[in-house]
């Protein structure tokens, strides 16, 4: 029995040692597993925070875009230190971590803002998360032509050309054979049963489509706030001549012409003219010269970026409106850009209208090109916005005059005295001088916005037949106004102008300073994805 006991004792000891070892190993394993799980949970938590910080960077940049749609093109010298760091892609401290943002402005080939934002925590800087978003904001200036209403009896007809996207919130009316070289959209209805022949000739980019309305703002008062920051708010009638990177302004009844530098004196890029407002059209052509009205008269050549707004109307002239002598000659350039020219581009077949637009066979649409110094497709920087609370008109009749304030019978416009006979004798009456100051053809480079009125030709029914209004940019108007009358059979104009409107392609992604936007649209996310920071970001 003793031997058996000793044998059993010898066997038990190794078993105990083995069991103890196994338990010890399992214990260490459990401790190690718990520690690893803790580390994994901690890293997962840090990763979640990193993603939150990346999204915070995106939201920070989006906040600035909501404040200024051109934020990606802003001059960094105007920014505070924190905002400058954001724009320059520097590390921005946020909570217990950081984010940095890189934004790519749109281009002709990619019309979206692309924001890349990376976030990480202080305790785990190697654990980075990166999001990439492509966004866009619907703008009036994305079209060459926008109206809230096309009126009840205004038609697109033979000889009219629209080179760029077209939209009306109202009913589109088309007859005969006008030509739309890009997309056409409407919101209320379409009347095109009077088109002669094949509609494919009229709608070159496909049939018109019904879409959501672009809601108009009530007025242009927001622009006044921007102008006030540079002391560029003027009272009453204001004559403006664009002289390259300078602006000549003759305000009210002043005998002096003031000179301003766009880069030094108008840093926020906005001029605003305050004054009386007349929502209905003037009964007489000379009423527009009233010194108290918030009217702008403008022409010239712009080198730079500028938005000019009027409480009432804007008149585009063919001569320098700061010179009040009777014009001896008129130019076809109402308003032109200095360093940015526009042209079409011939395609590989050698065809195409170099003057307006040409078929881009790769895109399948007709397109325009901005040029700088004659180089097709270059990115010219000049850009103008004209924003009137009411109408924007090509000026037809009358001219300015200094008013002798000591003479109660004097007027701020050109007039002459006429002897009027009657039964008992005669009297001298004052007759406004109805001088025709509208040129045969006129060119306008601008985004024009008539908030509660329209764009047209002043007193379009009277006078002789003109040539073309050639506009490169955008027209946005509450109600479409006339630029001439036409023969219902031939479609040829009897008075006034024919329309040749072409979109400035840069306005898909770049805009005049603080230009007004639709009230019913925000930034639209076209694409959102997370990428590995070590991977190349796809376009």
């Amino acid at each position: 029995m003793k031997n058996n006991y000793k044998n059993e004792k010898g066997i038990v000891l190794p078993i105990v040692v083995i069991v103890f070892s196994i338990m010890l190993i399992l214990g260490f394993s459990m401790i190690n597993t718990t520690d690893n799980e803790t580390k994994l949970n901690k890293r997962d938590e840090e990763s979640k925070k990193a993603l939150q910080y990346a999204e915070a960077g995106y939201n920070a940049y989006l906040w600035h875009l909501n404040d200024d749609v051109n934020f990606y093109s802003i001059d960094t010298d105007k920014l505070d230190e924190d905002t400058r760091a954001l724009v320059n892609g520097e590390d921005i401290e946020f909570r217990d971590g950081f984010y940095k943002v890189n934004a790519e402005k749109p281009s002709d080939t990619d019309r979206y803002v692309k924001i890349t934002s990376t976030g990480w925590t202080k305790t785990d800087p190697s654990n980075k998360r990166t999001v990439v978003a492509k966004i866009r904001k619907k703008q009036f200036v994305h079209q060459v032509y926008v109206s809230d209403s096309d009126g009840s009896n205004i038609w697109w007809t033979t000889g009219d050309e629209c080179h760029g996207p077209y939209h009306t919130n109202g009913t589109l009316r088309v007859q005969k054979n006008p030509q739309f070289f890009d997309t056409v959209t409407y919101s209320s209805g379409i009347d095109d049963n009077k088109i002669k022949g094949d509609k494919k000739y009229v709608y070159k980019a496909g049939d018109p489509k019904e879409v959501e309305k672009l809601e108009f703002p009530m007025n242009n008062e927001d622009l006044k706030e921007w102008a006030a920051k540079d002391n560029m708010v003027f009272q009453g009638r204001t004559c403006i001549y664009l002289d390259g990177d300078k602006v000549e302004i003759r305000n009210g009844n002043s005998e002096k012409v003031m000179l301003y530098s766009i880069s030094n004196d108008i840093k926020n890029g906005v001029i605003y003219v305050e004054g009386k407002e007349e929502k209905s059209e003037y009964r007489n052509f000379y009423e527009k010269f009233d010194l108290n009205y918030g009217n702008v008269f403008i022409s010239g050549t712009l080198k730079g970026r500028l938005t000019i707004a009027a409480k009432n109307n804007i008149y585009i002239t063919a001569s320098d409106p700061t010179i009040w002598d009777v014009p001896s000659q008129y130019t076809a350039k109402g308003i032109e850009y200095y360093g940015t020219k526009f042209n079409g581009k011939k395609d590989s077949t050698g065809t195409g209208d170099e003057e307006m637009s040409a078929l881009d066979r790769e895109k399948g649409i007709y397109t325009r090109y901005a040029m700088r110094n004659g180089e097709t497709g270059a990115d010219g920087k000049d850009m103008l916005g004209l924003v009137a609370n009411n109408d924007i008109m090509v000026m037809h009749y009358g001219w300015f005059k200094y008013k002798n304030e000591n003479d109660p019978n004097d007027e701020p416009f050109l007039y002459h005295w006429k002897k009027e006979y009657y039964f008992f004798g005669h009297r001298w009456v004052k007759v406004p001088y109805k001088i025709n100051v509208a040129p045969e053809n006129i060119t306008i480079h601008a985004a024009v916005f008539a908030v509660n009125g329209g764009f047209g030709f002043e007193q379009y029914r009277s006078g002789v037949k003109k040539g073309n209004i050639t506009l490169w940019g955008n027209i946005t108007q509450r109600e479409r106004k006339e630029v001439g009358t036409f023969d219902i059979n031939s479609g040829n104009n009897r008075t006034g102008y024919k329309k040749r409107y072409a979109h400035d392609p840069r306005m898909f992604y770049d805009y005049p300073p603080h230009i007004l936007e639709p009230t019913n649209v925000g930034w639209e996310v076209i694409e959102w994805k997370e990428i590995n920071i070590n991977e190349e970001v796809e376009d």
Side-chain angles (χ1 to χ4, degrees), residues 487-499:
D487 184 278
I488 194 169
N489 294 315
S490 67
N492 295 323
N493 58 318
R494 291 174 172 172
T495 64
Y497 291 97
K498 282 289 187 181
K499 301 181 287 288

Side-chain angles (χ1 to χ4, degrees), residues 43-60:
R43 186 167 178 80
D44 185 56
E45 187 64 29
E46 296 292 298
S47 181
K48 289 179 180 179
K49 286 184 177 181
L51 180 59
Q52 292 172 3
Y53 299 166
E55 292 172 346
Y58 161 80
N59 289 326

Side-chain angles (χ1 to χ4, degrees), residues 165-180:
Y166 170 94
H167 173 76
T168 177
N169 286 340
T171 299
L172 172 66
R173 293 180 174 86
V174 183
Q175 68 169 2
K176 306 293 183 182
N177 293 112
Q179 295 182 82
F180 294 89

Side-chain angles (χ1 to χ4, degrees), residues 25 45 50 66 70 102 113 136 179 194 248 302 340 365 402 405 450 453 499 518 529 535:
I25 292 170
E45 187 64 29
N66 281 320
N70 279 330
N102 176 61
V113 182
R136 71 173 177 184
Q179 295 182 82
K194 298 178 182 179
E248 298 178 10
L302 174 67
T340 305
I365 62 171
Y402 175 77
E405 296 180 354
K499 301 181 287 288
K529 63 183 178 181
E535 293 178 354

Side-chain angles (χ1 to χ4, degrees), residues 7-22:
N7 290 338
E8 289 175 3
K9 185 176 179 181
I11 293 172
V12 169
L13 184 59
I15 293 175
V16 171
V17 172
I18 292 170
V19 171
F20 178 77
S21 299
I22 292 172

